[in-house]
Each structure stands twice: as structure tokens, then as C-alpha cells.
């Protein structure tokens, strides 16, 4: 398979992106993976110099422009047709790549993917779907920020796609679907959520009903369904707490010798824990509902995060996730037509 | 001052509530505080037996009924006029108490307070406003769940009330007001939030603009303004993470002797940290916008949380928080009428 990677997107592009690709080729030697780095050829070549890697598996697709993080998505994708992001998406569309990874501007990636690659038939609104760490491993958060406002049908489709993802990608049997609400009772929340509750209940999914946000870290649901505003708050609050909590712990530890010694002994455990809760370990978020494998890596991705996103792309392609989602959507539509 | 306490509300009522009141009388001996325990007289008397406390400062107001946590708020307050909650609110209305504390059904408390005590003039929708722990001490979250959907004017009023609270109660000079959004730019979010942005900006408040959820734990804003759905997600996610993270840490520590020893040495630091992040330490959440001091203590409040809520009520009364909010609202209305 061929994976295209946006060399110019993200806070640490292009050096960490290039480094991550080299590390991935080394780590997944036995996998059938070719990588195409999309971006400014000269810059990429300079970074590749001095590294040992299998040249038959890594190529460069030249792209002159770069879409910045602060650019307005719709403007950016219209004006910068020669950007690394748009050229990567074009490769995906033309079948020159099986998956595309970018750590760049999320809004532009979604808008560009919609324009170039389009939606899966039957899906009205694609969603950003990262795996978030929980006490039980990880849950899929759909939508994490692509759709600020949602209709009940959108939330139902998020549930369907999320269920297929967890089953096929993370091998969760009969994934538990939870709808984020302010209480567990069916009558809680606004009209949109109450209607979504009925729609999801009418599917064959393993719908466990409403979940409260306090149940998310414990891993009560495998798929967490919510609109993009709420999902964005959940995702960013998790990130913010992780960094604040470890900072506060560090400050407090430095205050006493006893605590310093304790922390030294505890370090391997804490490091393991931090790794479990580290977003880089989870790779990127699939743009769920786009008719092609587009993976959004975190904006602050380092080489290790990019390596994991490539591993993820490998899994998505190998397991035929896209085909599975397409089939599932058709099945659900057939059933509701029968009713 | 006289503080009425709902003896029957909360997961650990009545025993922890009664215990918390006795502890408060002991801890705040020099304060001018009388406590009235509202609830089933016999049950309360049984719990008081054997405890040493100043009988001149603690009395019981008999209430035959109890509003349960699962009851529908509007039904409950209509049917259970003789409940501890409704009788406590009635005392507040009649001036027989200066503040009322309950760890019971949040929805019923808000509905009952609206019915019995009413709103501050100029405030359309009261909000639940707990202090949440951050790296800089604490921020006020308005609204944490009372109003699932909000108009821009509601959010503006939350900002005004929150600013007065932080300034008068927690002595924060010129509190920084942040509006929860999916990005920092003024153009982010839905219409309600964009309009609220303009309204808050037009006040004299120290409005720092939109904040992302990742900035909340770091303490970027002193007052976090959002609708009750988003606020509820923030509050409950914070609670969920705190308990999950410490559980995971504990599990991991038990796996190795080295980690166990480290944890032992680190214990005082960890305990201090947990105390900083413990909701019980912050007392309860004021029903901001109700024309009387109604404090919602956490449903799982133990004696220590109730003691802290009483301390909080003492501060609210002493500092004349209610009068300050009333004056501030009048000022803002005068200014906007002048324009």
C-alpha cells in the first residue's frame, strides 16, 4: 500500500514529519508500506540527507504551497491548490495513495477532503474521530470538532460509523455506544439529543443510552457520540488536564527531598501511565465519513506520533475499514426503508 | 446569621449532613453562625444524640417529606410542599434564614428556588456556579447545568454575575472572563456564542475573549462562561478524570515494590494535590441569579463538604454578595439604556 504524508503540516513540520516517516519504514519493515512525502522537495531532501532508509519505499511529491494553521479553511483550499494538503488529497482521489496523513489545519483538511474526495454515500456529515485514552484502553470520540451543530440523523450516523470503527479497527466486540447528555434518563437534554436517542435506539447497535461526561474517563462507552462543539470541549479538556495535572505534580514534587526520592522510585510507573494517556500513542483521528482514508494527526505531532499515524493507516487499509463502513450504512438504510 | 441546611438531601443524608453541621459549629466558634437543620425531626435528634455541641446555635425545623434524587423537579416541588427542601426555601423567602444549603436534587432545588425565592431583577435565567480547581487555584464555571440552552443575553448575564462573585467572594481583582468556544477567533462557534461575544465585549468586564477547553485547567480565565450543557460536560469530565486517574495510578503502583515505596514517600505530596483537586474542599455551588443565597452542595457531600459549604454561606452573607450582584446588574442596565 502507499501512504501519502503531508510533510508541511503541523507545529513541528517538516523535520518531525520526515523523521517520523523514516522511523515508520524502519519499524514496519515487514509491512507492505510505501510512503510518499508531499511537500517542498528541496526542504524534504535536505532533511532526508544523512539518514539511512530504503529509498525504494520513500518518494517525494513536490508541492510548492503550504496551508498555515491560522488560515480560513475554505479560503485556503480554494487559493492554495498547489499546497501539500491539496496535492495529497488529490493523490488519494486518483488512487495514487491508499491513505493520506496530515498534522495541518484541521478545518482545511476536512473542507479539502469533502471537496476532493467526497462523502461516503448515505453519510451527510463526516466527523473527526480520535481515540481518547480511558481506564479501559480507549474510546472513539465522534464528533471531536468538525460539526459545531448537528441534526439527530448526523448523531445517529456518527454512532454507526463509530461502531464499525471500534469493531473492525480495535477489535471490540459489540461496541457500547453512549450518547453524551446531562443525565442518563431518556428525557434529558434538548430536542436534538432526545430525537437522536430514538434514532440510535432503533438501530441494531449496542446502544447503552445516555452517558454523563464523568463516565467517559472510566471507559463506560466504546463510542462516545456528541456534536462537534461538545466533542471539542471533551478532547481539549482531556489534553489540558493531562498537562496541568502533571505540571502541578512536578511543581509539588520539587518542593521536598522526600517527594523527589519518591518520584524517582515511582518514575517508571508514572512514565508508563503518561504513555497510556499520551495522544501521540494513539496516532491520529480518522475523518470518519469521508470516502477515502484521511487521517488527521495532532497539530503538535512529533516523529513518534507520525510513526503511529502511519501504523494506523496501515491497519485501516489492511482491514478494509472504509468498505466496512460503506456496507454498514447501506444495511441500515435498507432496514429503515423496509420499515 | 442563620443558615438553614437541608438535612435530607444528598447521597449521605442525613448522617453526614448532621455531622457536617456539628463540625462547622465547632470550627467556626467565633463566627456569628446559627444553624437550622431542616428535615425529619426524630431522625435528626437521633443523630445529634451523644454529640457535644452548642444547643443555642443549632435548632431543627421539622419537615415530613423528602425529595429524592430521581424525582422530576417540577413534579417534586409541586407535590412535596412539606419537603425539607421546600421548607428550607420558604424560610429563606420569609427571612427566617440568611442562606439555604442543600445537597439534594439539583433540578428541584433550582425550580424550587425560582418558585419560592425568585430571580434577581434583571436576570433572566439563574445558573449553577461551582468553583472548579485549576492550576491557579480555582475558576468559577457558569453555567454548570441549570440551562441546557442559552440565549446570548443569558451568557452575558452569567459573565456579569461571575465577575462579581470572583471579585467579592474570592478577592480576584478584575476577574478574567472567558467564553468557552472551539477556537480563540471571534468568528468561531455558532450564532449564539458569536452574539454573546459581542455582548460581553460591550460591558466593562475584563473579557479575555474565547477560551478553548484546554485552557481551563491551567486557569487562563477566572470566570468560565458557557451554556449549561457544555458546563455540565466540563464539570463532570473533571470529576471523572480525577477519580479515574487516581484509580489507574493506584492500580499501577500496586504492581511493583519499587513503585509502592515511591508512592509511600510521595504520599504527603499526592494527598495535598488530591485535596487541592477535591470538590469537597470548595464547598457548594451558588445558584447565581436567585434573589437569595441558595447553595447546592455536591450530591456525594460528606461532613467535611457540608462544613465547607457552611463556611461559604458565611462568606456570602458577610460580604453581601447578593446586594453586590443586584447593584452590578442595575449598573449594566443603566449603561446600556444610556447608549
Amino acid at each position: 500500500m502507499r501512504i501519502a504524508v503531508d510533510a508541511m503540516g503541523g507545529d513541528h513540520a517538516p523535520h518531525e514529519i520526515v523523521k517520523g516517516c523514516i522511523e515508520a519504514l524502519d519499524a514496519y519493515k515487514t509491512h507492505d508500506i510505501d510512503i510518499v512525502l508531499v511537500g517542498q522537495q528541496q526542504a524534504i531532501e535536505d532533511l532526508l540527507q544523512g539518514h539511512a532508509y530504503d529509498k525504494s519505499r520513500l518518494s517525494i511529491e513536490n508541492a510548492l504551497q503550504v496551508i498555515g494553521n491560522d488560515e480560513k479553511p475554505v479560503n485556503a483550499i480554494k487559493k492554495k491548490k498547489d499546497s501539500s494538503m491539496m496535492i495529497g488529497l488529490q493523490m488519494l482521489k486518483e488512487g495514487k495513495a491508499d491513505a493520506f496523513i496530515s498534522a495541518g489545519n484541521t478545518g482545511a483538511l476536512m473542507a479539502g477532503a469533502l471537496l476532493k474526495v467526497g462523502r461516503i454515500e448515505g453519510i451527510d456529515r463526516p466527523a473527526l474521530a480520535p481515540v481518547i485514552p480511558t481506564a479501559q484502553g480507549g474510546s472513539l470520540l465522534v464528533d471531536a470538532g468538525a460539526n459545531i451543530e448537528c441534526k439527530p440523523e448526523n448523531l445517529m450516523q456518527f454512532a454507526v460509523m463509530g461502531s464499525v470503527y471500534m469493531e473492525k479497527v480495535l477489535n471490540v466486540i459489540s461496541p457500547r455506544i453512549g450518547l453524551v447528555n446531562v443525565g442518563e434518563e431518556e428525557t434529558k437534554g434538548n430536542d436534538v439529543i432526545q430525537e437522536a436517542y430514538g434514532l440510535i435506539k432503533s438501530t441494531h447497535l449496542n446502544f447503552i443510552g445516555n452517558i454523563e461526561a464523568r463516565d467517559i474517563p472510566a471507559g463506560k462507552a466504546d463510542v462516545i457520540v456528541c456534536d462537534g462543539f461538545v466533542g471539542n470541549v471533551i478532547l481539549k479538556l482531556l489534553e489540558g488536564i493531562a498537562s496541568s495535572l502533571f505540571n502541578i505534580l512536578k511543581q509539588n514534587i520539587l518542593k521536598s527531598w522526600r517527594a523527589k526520592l519518591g518520584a524517582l522510585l515511582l518514575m517508571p510507573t508514572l512514565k508508563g501511565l503518561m504513555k497510556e494517556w499520551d495522544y501521540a500513542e494513539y496516532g491520529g483521528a480518522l475523518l470518519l465519513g469521508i470516502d477515502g482514508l484521511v487521517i488527521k494527526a495532532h497539530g503538535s505531532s512529533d516523529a513518534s506520533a507520525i510513526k503511529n499515524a502511519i501504523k494506523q493507516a496501515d491497519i485501516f487499509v489492511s482491514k478494509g475499514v472504509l468498505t466496512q463502513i460503506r456496507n454498514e450504512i447501506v444495511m441500515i438504510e435498507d432496514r429503515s426503508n423496509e420499515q
Side-chain angles (χ1 to χ4, degrees), chain A residues 132-139 211-221 224 234 238 241 277:
Chain A
I132 57 170
T134 72
Q136 292 189 35
S139 305
I211 56 164
E212 296 188 74
R214 74 160 66 90
D215 300 323
I216 295 174
K220 189 173 177 183
I224 298 154
I234 292 170
L238 285 169
I241 290 171
W277 281 70

Side-chain angles (χ1 to χ4, degrees), chain A residues 70-124:
Chain A
D70 300 328
E71 292 190 57
K72 298 234 163 193
V74 179
N75 284 348
I77 64 166
K78 277 186 190 160
K79 281 188 187 164
K80 295 192 171 170
K81 292 194 170 68
D82 290 331
S83 58
S84 55
M85 194 183 273
M86 292 309 281
I87 288 177
L89 289 167
Q90 181 68 27
M91 289 177 70
L92 188 64
K93 181 190 176 183
E94 292 173 358
K96 290 179 183 166
D98 300 297
F100 177 58
I101 297 168
S102 176
N105 186 321
T106 310
L109 186 63
M110 182 58 95
L114 273 168
L115 182 77
K116 284 275 179 201
V117 189
R119 292 165 298 161
I120 292 177
E121 214 185 306
I123 296 294
D124 299 312

